Amino acid sequence: MRNTSMRVSPLFLALLAVTVLGGVLATLDNGFLVTTGVVLIVLGGWATSLCLHEFGHAITAFRGGDRAVRAKGYLTLDPRHYTDPVLSLLLPILFVLIGGIPLPGGAVWINHAALRSKKDEATVSLAGPVMNLLIGIGLTASVATIAMPLPLAAGLSYLAFLQVIAFVLNILPIPGLDGYGALEPWLSPQARHFGEQARPWAPLGIILVLVVVPGVGPLFFDAAFALFDTVGGTEMLAVQGDYLFRFWERL
């Protein structure tokens, strides 16, 4: 019997195909198809990156000693194997649709007791956001080096900016986010207990702070745009991609 625990999931390939289809449509000389293409680039690309984010956690855990991630199907990039597909895939997509904030989702369960060291634990936590950053760098590099129609460049740039936002958000040292996970192995038992209590609510709390508290949101996005510029992104293209993506605001 063939082992399918590391075979790439057809669902992941379908998400990737949707993204590629969006890229093709964004090159056509038709306003409706171009808009549809940008929407597919952003939503399909974001869903694909969520799978890659969790794969980053899982493959790093596997190399660090947690062999169970393979049996759980985490190495197949199939979101149906995640601990909560709604929180891990559907909710982040919904947040991108309504607010442009790429909400992180807790998806793969890691057996930290199986990891060899605290360094391995920290590396597992950081692997997800680093994957987002690498995707963002790859997208900005493709836009910078390959001649392409403006809508395609704008859609890819906006998707790249979402990756940068996800990186900046996830590395915050707040319970429930990966930045806290990287610090947690070195915290005292009391601090870890507090983190466990706060973990279910802290990510939603930081989103509310970004949206509601005056000045916090702009400061966060300024930092994200600064990093986006550092990795080679073009702010004007990302803004144009955001404009094309939110077509319903122009209806």
Side-chain angles (χ1 to χ4, degrees):
M1 180 173 149
R2 296 180 65 185
N3 187 349
T4 62
S5 60
M6 293 186 70
R7 184 185 303 167
V8 177
S9 161
L11 179 55
F12 173 79
L13 295 177
L15 293 173
L16 188 60
V18 167
T19 310
V20 173
L21 174 62
V24 173
L25 294 178
T27 66
L28 302 180
D29 188 20
N30 180 289
F32 172 77
L33 293 179
V34 164
T35 299
T36 301
V38 172
V39 171
L40 292 181
I41 287 171
V42 174
L43 294 185
W46 177 236
T48 300
S49 73
L50 288 170
C51 296
L52 290 170
H53 175 107
E54 300 307 331
F55 176 80
H57 288 311
I59 190 65
T60 308
F62 180 76
R63 291 174 176 173
D66 183 6
R67 301 301 179 183
V69 297
R70 180 167 60 182
K72 293 184 177 75
Y74 295 159
L75 302 184
T76 66
L77 294 110
D78 191 334
R80 292 173 297 184
H81 293 303
Y82 296 161
T83 54
D84 193 331
V86 173
L87 288 177
S88 302
L89 192 66
L90 297 182
L91 193 59
I93 290 175
L94 177 62
F95 266 75
V96 167
L97 278 169
I98 65 176
I101 300 176
L103 181 74
V108 296
W109 186 84
I110 304 298
N111 180 10
H112 290 271
L115 299 177
R116 299 186 185 98
S117 66
K118 293 181 179 181
K119 181 180 177 181
D120 285 323
E121 292 187 64
T123 303
V124 168
S125 292
L126 293 176
V130 167
M131 182 69 78
N132 287 114
L133 184 60
L134 291 176
I135 295 170
I137 292 173
L139 290 170
T140 58
S142 67
V143 171
T145 58
I146 301 173
M148 60 182 69
L150 177 61
L152 177 58
L156 292 176
S157 293
Y158 181 53
L159 177 59
F161 183 55
L162 290 178
Q163 304 303 317
V164 171
I165 296 175
F167 172 79
V168 174
L169 183 62
N170 267 291
I171 62 170
L172 294 175
I174 295 172
L177 301 180
D178 292 323
Y180 175 82
L183 298 175
E184 189 175 22
W186 286 276
L187 297 179
S188 67
Q190 295 82 0
R192 297 181 71 166
H193 176 72
F194 174 78
E196 285 296 325
Q197 300 300 312
R199 190 185 303 275
W201 311 106
L204 285 176
I206 191 63
I207 296 298
L208 288 176
V209 169
L210 288 171
V211 173
V212 175
V213 178
V216 175
L219 182 63
F220 175 83
F221 281 100
D222 284 347
F225 270 121
L227 180 58
F228 184 62
D229 180 69
T230 299
V231 300
T234 302
E235 181 176 344
M236 184 178 297
L237 283 176
V239 171
Q240 179 68 18
D242 184 22
Y243 173 80
L244 291 172
F245 174 66
R246 299 178 192 286
F247 68 90
W248 56 88
E249 296 179 355
R250 306 191 299 276
L251 297 178

